[in-house]
Amino acid sequence: MKKTETYSAEETFAFGRQIGQQAKAGEVYTLVGDLGVGKTVLTQGVAAGLGIEEPVNSPTFTILQIYEEGRLPFYHFDVYRIGDVEEMEEIGYEDCFYGEGVCLIEWANLIEEILPREYRQITIEKDLDKGFDYRRITIEER
């Protein structure tokens, strides 16, 4: 388990960039945190660490965004609005989860039954006692 604390969106982005720089083909990350906690900022950092320069936004309505310009393909899922796991099958999630790219899945708790056996869960939490922009970020092997 790895824990870090950030005190600004820039620091959260930079931590995400480190994850992207160290990411290897076939890795799956899940991203857990409340609305407005900085999941998109962290994801943008991961993309930057993979060498992706195009704008990265949360694919809330499309469920999946694919970025192929970096050193590895980057599959960014946001399954917040998913109806059921069958929608994931229609998207072809297995090609992403078990392919040669890096997956990052927001709201992955909604699709736990189809997650790979091994993945890394990134949890972002606020603590307003430590400041408005404070974040505690934990990475756990699952």
Side-chain angles (χ1 to χ4, degrees):
M1 182 184 317
K2 180 178 181 180
K3 288 187 176 197
T4 194
E5 297 175 310
T6 64
Y7 293 89
S8 67
E10 292 78 16
E11 288 182 15
T12 300
F13 180 92
F15 184 70
R17 184 170 47 228
Q18 288 176 357
I19 293 169
Q21 289 168 338
Q22 297 168 7
K24 295 176 180 61
E27 289 183 334
V28 174
Y29 294 85
T30 62
L31 190 49
V32 177
D34 294 334
L35 288 169
V37 81
K39 293 188 298 292
T40 300
V41 169
L42 185 107
T43 300
Q44 290 167 337
V46 172
L50 287 167
I52 295 163
E53 295 177 10
E54 67 183 279
V56 173
N57 297 303
S58 196
T60 302
F61 295 100
T62 58
I63 300 176
L64 170 63
Q65 289 277 50
I66 300 173
Y67 303 91
E68 299 191 65
E69 68 180 44
R71 66 179 179 83
L72 294 168
F74 182 47
Y75 307 110
H76 179 203
F77 289 86
D78 181 336
V79 298
Y80 183 72
R81 298 190 186 284
I82 199 151
D84 57 43
V85 173
E86 286 178 13
E87 283 183 58
M88 290 293 289
E89 291 171 6
E90 291 168 18
I91 293 168
Y93 79 91
E94 290 176 328
D95 293 339
C96 301
F97 284 17
Y98 303 104
E100 291 301 309
V102 175
C103 278
L104 191 142
I105 309 158
E106 297 186 43
W107 302 100
N109 56 303
L110 300 174
I111 59 162
E112 279 181 337
E113 63 266 33
I114 63 168
L115 289 175
R117 278 186 356 158
E118 294 180 13
Y119 61 92
R120 291 187 175 106
Q121 178 173 300
I122 304 170
T123 305
I124 307 177
E125 301 166 291
K126 291 182 184 182
D127 184 343
L128 293 177
D129 291 341
K130 295 189 177 189
F132 181 76
D133 291 322
Y134 171 86
R135 301 293 185 266
R136 182 183 312 104
I137 304 172
T138 308
I139 302 178
E140 300 173 83
E141 301 280 339
R142 294 288 177 130

